Amino acid sequence: MYLGDEAWPDLESYFETESLALVPVGSTEQHGPHLPESTDHLIAEAFAREAADRAGYLCTPPVTVGVSTHHRQFHGTMWADAPAFRDYVESITRNLTEHGVDRVVYVNAHGSNVDPLREVGRRLRDDHALYAIEWMWNESIPDLVDDLFEHPGPHGGPKETALVQHLAPDLVHDDRLADARDGGVVDVTTNDTIVNGARTYYDAIDNTPNGVIGDQTDATAAKGEQLFEAATEQLVDLCDWLAAQEFQALMPEPHR
C-alpha cells in the first residue's frame, strides 16, 4: 500500500492492524554521464513499494534529497546538510507515531545517508518513540553483487546501472556506458587518495573526474532484475521479522 495514493478513511484499517511503515530515502545527485540524478530515490522507492505490496505493509512517499554535498561540483546535484537532513527525517518519522506506527524501515539507496539515518534511529529509540532501522539494498546481497560484477563501483557503477536499466530503462544512456567507464575510475583503490592511513579526499570529484566508479559496461537489465528480486526478498524478510517483534524488546535496555 502506498500512502500517497490513499484517501485518509481508507488507511484506517491498516493502522488498526499494522504498525510498520517503509520510508524510502535516496538523493538527487549526479550519477555520471549515463544515469539520471534521480537514481538513488528511484531505486529506494522501487524497493520500498515492491516490498510493501508483497508483504502487505505501508510505504510512505520518498525522501528525494539526501546528504550529497560531496557531489556539488556536478550540475544539478541537490543536497541537505547532515543536521538539516537528520532533523527533517526525524520529524516526518515522528509524525507517523500519531497514526500508530511504532517501527520504521528506512529503505535507503544512498551511502552518505547511512550515518544520519542511524543517528535518527538512535534518537527515536532513546525517546521510546519508535524503532527505526536503516536498510541498504546492496548490503543485503553482497555475495550476489560480487558474483555479477568484477568492478561494481561504490557510485554510479554497474550495480546501480543495472538496477535502473531494469526499473527505468528509458532513463539510462546506454550509448554512454563506455564513456562513463573510460572517463571515470574503474577501481577506486588505484587512486592515491589515502596517504599514510589518512583519507585525503572530501568530494567525489577528488576521486573521479566524471563522478562515477566501476565498469558500467558490465551492466544489463537482466542483472538488474536479479539484484532487484534478491534484495526485495531480503527486505520483505526484514519487515516480517520486525513486525513480529514485541515493541518493548526493541527498546533500549535499562541502566544497570
Side-chain angles (χ1 to χ4, degrees):
M1 177 185 292
Y2 182 65
L3 186 151
D5 288 343
E6 302 295 323
W8 73 262
D10 302 321
L11 290 164
E12 182 177 6
S13 60
Y14 180 82
F15 292 120
E16 285 178 344
T17 58
E18 297 287 352
S19 61
L20 184 146
L22 294 90
V23 179
V25 187
S27 69
T28 299
E29 64 180 27
Q30 71 84 19
H31 274 77
H34 64 299
L35 289 179
E37 306 232 350
S38 62
T39 291
D40 286 344
H41 71 254
L42 183 158
I43 289 171
E45 185 174 358
F47 276 122
R49 283 198 181 216
E50 184 67 19
D53 287 346
R54 291 188 189 185
Y57 297 116
L58 182 71
C59 175
T60 74
V63 177
T64 59
V65 176
V67 182
S68 300
T69 317
H70 52 296
H71 292 290
R72 68 190 187 278
Q73 289 92 345
F74 297 92
H75 299 314
T77 293
M78 301 179 68
W79 66 88
D81 290 333
F85 176 82
R86 285 195 300 266
D87 289 347
Y88 175 73
V89 173
E90 180 179 352
S91 179
I92 64 172
T93 306
R94 282 187 187 277
N95 70 49
L96 291 171
T97 65
E98 292 287 326
H99 312 297
V101 170
D102 64 12
R103 56 205 76 193
V104 162
V105 177
Y106 295 122
V107 181
N108 180 36
H110 177 52
S112 293
N113 291 341
V114 172
D115 288 344
L117 290 173
R118 291 282 297 171
E119 178 61 26
V120 170
R122 174 176 287 281
R123 290 181 187 179
L124 295 167
R125 184 172 183 255
D126 286 350
D127 289 349
H128 289 248
L130 56 74
Y131 182 81
I133 51 175
E134 181 268 344
W135 178 86
M136 188 84 170
W137 71 269
N138 56 293
E139 293 182 0
S140 76
I141 50 169
D143 291 342
L144 179 59
V145 171
D146 288 343
D147 287 345
L148 291 178
F149 310 108
E150 183 178 359
H151 298 290
H155 182 73
K159 67 179 187 286
E160 289 183 319
T161 302
L163 269 179
V164 183
Q165 285 173 326
H166 169 58
L167 296 170
D170 291 347
L171 297 181
V172 182
H173 297 275
D174 288 313
D175 59 331
R176 299 178 185 174
L177 297 183
D179 289 341
R181 177 198 61 200
D182 298 340
V185 174
V186 171
D187 183 355
V188 73
T189 63
T190 62
N191 282 0
D192 295 325
T193 52
I194 297 180
V195 179
N196 290 56
R199 288 177 289 181
T200 61
Y201 59 90
Y202 283 94
D203 296 327
I205 203 167
D206 298 333
N207 274 318
T208 166
N210 71 355
V212 291
I213 300 166
D215 182 0
Q216 292 75 15
T217 64
D218 201 15
T220 66
K223 290 182 179 180
E225 184 177 11
Q226 283 184 263
L227 296 172
F228 188 73
E229 288 300 316
T232 298
E233 288 181 9
Q234 293 292 314
L235 180 55
V236 167
D237 288 347
L238 172 63
C239 291
D240 287 342
W241 170 85
L242 184 56
Q245 304 307 302
E246 292 293 332
F247 178 73
Q248 197 53 44
L250 298 169
M251 293 295 99
E253 291 287 336
H255 180 70
R256 298 188 180 182

